[in-house]
Amino acid sequence: MSNGEPMSRMKVAVVEGDGIGKEVVLAALRVLDALSLDIEEVPVEIGYGKWKRTGKAITDDDFDIFESCDCIFFGAITTPPDPDYKSVLVRIRQEFDLYANIRPIKGMGSGNNIDFTIVRENTEGMYSGVEQVFPDAVHSTRVITRRGSERIAEYACLLARGNKGDKGKRLTIVHKANILRSCQLFRDVCIGVADRRKILWEDMLVDATAHRLVLDPERFELIVTTNLFGDILSDMAAALIGGLGLCASANIGEDYALFEPVHGSAPDIAGKGLANPVAAILSLAMMLEWFGRAEESDAVHDAVSRVMATGITTPDLGGRCSTAEVAEAVAAAIGKEQAT
Ligand code: NAD
Ligand code: IPM
Ligand code: MN
């Protein structure tokens, strides 16, 4: 997933967003600080809070700042179900054409051998924005294109390909092709790409996938699916490994990317120091990997594992530590490693 050589000076737009977004971004930046990398952080305020204050959730100036940066590090934004409010996150994904949403699901600690990745198409499907509103009905159009399916299948096949000596991963193509013509296209295109790339594949209906994910999650290696199915399955998968507080993601395009935890702004726990910062910290690790900084990315993963193994966790995992305390412990673990 790296985009090649390490960049020298990185410039990252930092969006704290709403609710726990602010707390987990602060925590992740504390960890980034411990790595002493040459990174310029550019704060950008967008989201529901800004919308309430100014009437706009995002402006053209905000997009100009994003464009002047290499990528975006994002907390979470509240998206109320209000017809006058359009999701800022979906708009950013579409404007920067961040077509691949990569969501690793990996159990931490002994006894949990779950380890798969969800590759979610990120620009079309039920999120196409094509909607017709009538007095007594609303039609939301599910747009699936050959090009959109092909490029997400290619991305998944890249992740499936094994390195020297390792057989690679089995790709599970998840769809609802028994009912939806759009899914028939998605499935057929994915199968074509996987065959061409000589990737071992299987296909599975989305409802059956949900069932098997609960019963036998360890059988999965890599999933590719459409936008809304990927959204739903990833929250479900998070529950298999300890919850949303642990799940990171990367939204990847040709030459731009956005990194964010899978979770949202969690208004039920916001402002209390209860949010688990691990998902945001691991999203930071994905950002470092994308920047070509694999060593630092691994250091963050190692530090998180070591801290969690000592029981320094937030209440969602049964611990008693605050968001800031977990971040501090991860930063200290990185510091110790660098000193040895
Ligand atoms: P949510 O992901 O915010 O929270 C779901 C549940 O998980 C809540 O009980 C919450 O307390 C818990 N949780 C989430 N993250 C946690 C963490 N780091 N540590 C501990 N517990 C955590 O989903 P929701 O409540 O359905 O949505 C709240 C708002 O967030 C909505 O407006 C939604 O649209 C938005 N949202 C935004 C994003 C994003 O910006 N990327 C993603 C999902 C939802
Ligand atoms: C996610 C979120 C977003 C989505 C919302 C906030 C637009 O749930 O990133 O999983 O539906 O994609
Ligand atoms: Mn979601």
Side-chain angles (χ1 to χ4, degrees):
M1 98 144 222
S2 160
N3 71 344
E5 291 295 301
M7 294 183 193
S8 48
R9 183 161 174 79
M10 315 172 208
K11 193 171 167 187
V12 179
V14 177
V15 173
E16 292 183 351
D18 305 303
I20 64 165
K22 295 182 193 303
E23 298 162 65
V24 298
V25 165
L26 198 69
L29 293 183
R30 172 69 192 95
V31 172
L32 184 59
D33 215 33
L35 290 165
S36 307
L37 289 167
D38 189 16
I39 295 189
E40 183 183 346
E41 294 160 18
V42 184
V44 185
E45 191 208 350
I46 59 172
Y48 185 51
K50 177 166 174 162
W51 184 73
K52 281 197 291 190
R53 205 165 44 75
T54 68
K56 285 200 165 148
I58 191 165
T59 63
D60 290 346
D61 287 349
D62 297 327
F63 271 102
D64 288 345
I65 300 175
F66 288 154
E67 261 161 40
S68 74
C69 294
D70 296 306
C71 69
I72 303 171
F73 185 67
F74 191 96
I77 277 181
T78 300
T79 310
D82 179 326
D84 295 330
Y85 187 95
K86 283 257 169 296
S87 166
V88 168
L89 181 56
V90 170
R91 191 170 154 207
I92 296 172
R93 287 172 181 165
Q94 276 163 353
E95 295 226 357
F96 285 99
D97 205 17
L98 307 177
Y99 67 92
N101 194 326
I102 311 304
R103 300 184 154 187
I105 305 292
K106 192 168 169 30
M108 293 203 201
S110 55
N112 189 332
N113 297 317
I114 297 171
D115 186 2
F116 62 90
T117 297
I118 297 176
V119 177
R120 164 185 176 190
E121 200 293 320
N122 213 29
T123 55
E124 50 183 43
M126 288 306 293
Y127 290 67
S128 69
V130 183
E131 296 197 304
Q132 281 178 293
V133 180
F134 304 101
D136 297 313
V138 178
H139 296 182
S140 301
T141 305
R142 184 176 199 262
V143 177
I144 300 284
T145 66
R146 184 176 299 283
R147 172 177 173 266
S149 306
E150 216 158 69
R151 65 183 182 169
I152 198 66
E154 288 285 2
Y155 200 100
C157 286
L158 259 180
L159 297 185
R161 200 181 294 156
N163 295 320
K164 277 175 252 146
D166 120 44
K167 66 177 177 40
K169 295 188 168 72
R170 177 185 57 207
L171 180 64
T172 308
I173 300 164
V174 175
H175 57 79
K176 188 76 183 171
N178 54 343
I179 299 297
L180 300 170
R181 290 288 297 269
S182 51
C183 264
Q184 288 172 15
L185 176 65
F186 181 78
R187 180 197 60 188
D188 292 351
V189 170
C190 288
I191 290 173
V193 172
D195 279 341
R196 203 162 64 234
R197 299 289 174 201
K198 300 193 168 34
I199 298 298
L200 179 65
W201 62 267
E202 63 181 348
D203 74 313
M204 206 179 280
L205 294 167
V206 64
D207 44 355
T209 306
H211 184 73
R212 291 186 84 166
L213 269 172
V214 173
L215 283 184
D216 190 12
E218 290 175 16
R219 75 173 296 289
F220 290 93
E221 298 179 358
L222 185 65
I223 287 174
V224 65
T225 191
T226 53
N227 208 340
L228 184 60
F229 293 166
D231 179 45
I232 296 167
L233 290 181
S234 54
D235 269 34
M236 205 187 104
L240 301 168
I241 58 154
L244 283 164
L246 296 177
C247 294
S249 78
N251 299 248
I252 308 278
E254 283 304 325
D255 49 18
Y256 204 77
L258 179 153
F259 302 88
E260 56 167 349
V262 170
H263 65 70
S265 57
D268 54 339
I269 57 165
K272 298 178 183 158
L274 295 172
N276 189 340
V278 167
I281 294 170
L282 294 179
S283 304
L284 185 87
M286 293 183 87
M287 181 181 92
L288 293 169
E289 192 189 338
W290 182 77
F291 269 134
R293 296 278 183 177
E295 209 176 294
E296 287 86 353
S297 176
D298 290 348
V300 172
H301 277 279
D302 288 351
V304 167
S305 302
R306 273 184 284 133
V307 165
M308 285 183 57
T310 59
I312 300 179
T313 59
T314 42
D316 53 311
L317 298 179
R320 294 160 156 252
C321 296
S322 68
T323 312
E325 283 164 348
V326 171
E328 207 51 55
V330 175
I334 287 173
K336 263 187 220 143
E337 189 173 280
Q338 284 182 339
T340 55

